[in-house]
Amino acid sequence: MSNGNSPEDERPFEDVSEEDRPSVSVGRALRQARIAAGLTVDDVSTATRVRIAIVHAIEADDFAPCGGDVYARGHIRTLAKAVRLDPAPLIARYEEDHGGGRPAPTPAAPLFEAERIRPERRGPNWTAAMVAAIVVVIGFVGFTMVKGGDEGGKANVADGTTPDTSPSPTPKSKKPAPVEPEPSDSAIAAAPQDKVTVQVTAADAPSWISAKDHNGRLLFDGLLKKGDSESFQDSSKINLVLGDAGAVDLFVNGKKIEEDWQPGAVERLTYTKGDPQAG
């Protein structure tokens, strides 16, 4: 495991000549070298300050999250040095696979960004919100029932008294239709109450995700392509890491989590049984 320092040392790069250019893809070569060096993705990310999601994407030969050819070359060069490979043949292989030439200008962006870890946050209080909505609906329905009794001359259901049937001096406006409460998220995606259920969908862009159960057992670790979904269930707790939180839709125990996560933001979340009170 990495001790937090840069993995570069005084060992020379492997001598890879032009004729010995790697026959495997750039991502696979980096991944094989990392495993051979005994390093995890976390180790490489910590040493190079390249985000975990980008390391996973590059090892899967997906360079879109890099933001352009200039940044892709920079990431390849940095990761190659971290796993003790000569970056030159990898850069050459990348240019062959992606057309070569000078890339078009790309918007300025941080070349290397440290993983941003947020403390665990509490989700919205769904119970209080539902109680408030029910009170509003009941009040509105009661008001329309009283108004309807005045107009139609029918008995008041609420208190059993007979309403005043004398003509009204002014014309009555048309009774508004009662507002029907919107269906809850639980009606959209029901989930058993004795378990915690988490569903992740890469709605806007690919995103790397990782999920573990309450014992720390790895349930999933990989890249979700755009449009793909994964669901996880445990008896008490799901620990979740989102490599690009701004690109995913997240449902917990049948309810959609509404958070203003930014594209590229890494989120570490924990959810338990019942309403999403933790996350």
Side-chain angles (χ1 to χ4, degrees), residues 238-255:
I238 293 290
N239 295 310
L240 192 65
V241 180
L242 304 178
D244 187 352
V248 305
D249 286 343
L250 180 62
F251 285 85
V252 177
N253 299 324
K255 297 179 175 65

Side-chain angles (χ1 to χ4, degrees), residues 88-101:
L90 297 177
I91 297 296
R93 178 60 183 267
Y94 172 83
E95 291 178 349
E96 287 180 358
D97 293 343
H98 295 82

Side-chain angles (χ1 to χ4, degrees), residues 22 24-37 39 44 55 58-59 61 63 72 75-87 90:
V24 297
S25 65
V26 174
R28 185 174 179 185
L30 290 171
R31 182 173 183 273
Q32 290 176 346
R34 171 179 62 77
I35 294 173
L39 300 175
V44 174
V55 176
I58 290 176
E59 289 190 354
D61 290 306
F63 299 95
H75 288 316
I76 293 171
R77 184 177 293 106
T78 300
L79 296 180
K81 291 180 180 179
V83 296
R84 304 186 183 98
L85 284 181
D86 184 354
L90 297 177

Side-chain angles (χ1 to χ4, degrees), residues 185-186 189-199 232-234 238 251-257 271-278:
D185 288 332
S186 59
Q193 296 183 358
D194 60 340
K195 297 180 183 295
V196 55
T197 303
V198 175
Q199 178 180 331
F232 315 105
Q233 195 172 81
D234 187 71
I238 293 290
F251 285 85
V252 177
N253 299 324
K255 297 179 175 65
K256 185 175 183 180
I257 303 301
Y271 291 103
T272 57
K273 294 186 293 186
D275 290 330
Q277 307 237 338

Side-chain angles (χ1 to χ4, degrees), residues 102-124:
R102 180 175 295 276
T106 56
L111 186 56
F112 308 116
E113 179 181 348
E115 177 184 359
R116 178 166 62 91
I117 305 299
R118 291 186 181 178
E120 292 187 355
R121 66 177 71 181
R122 288 196 170 274

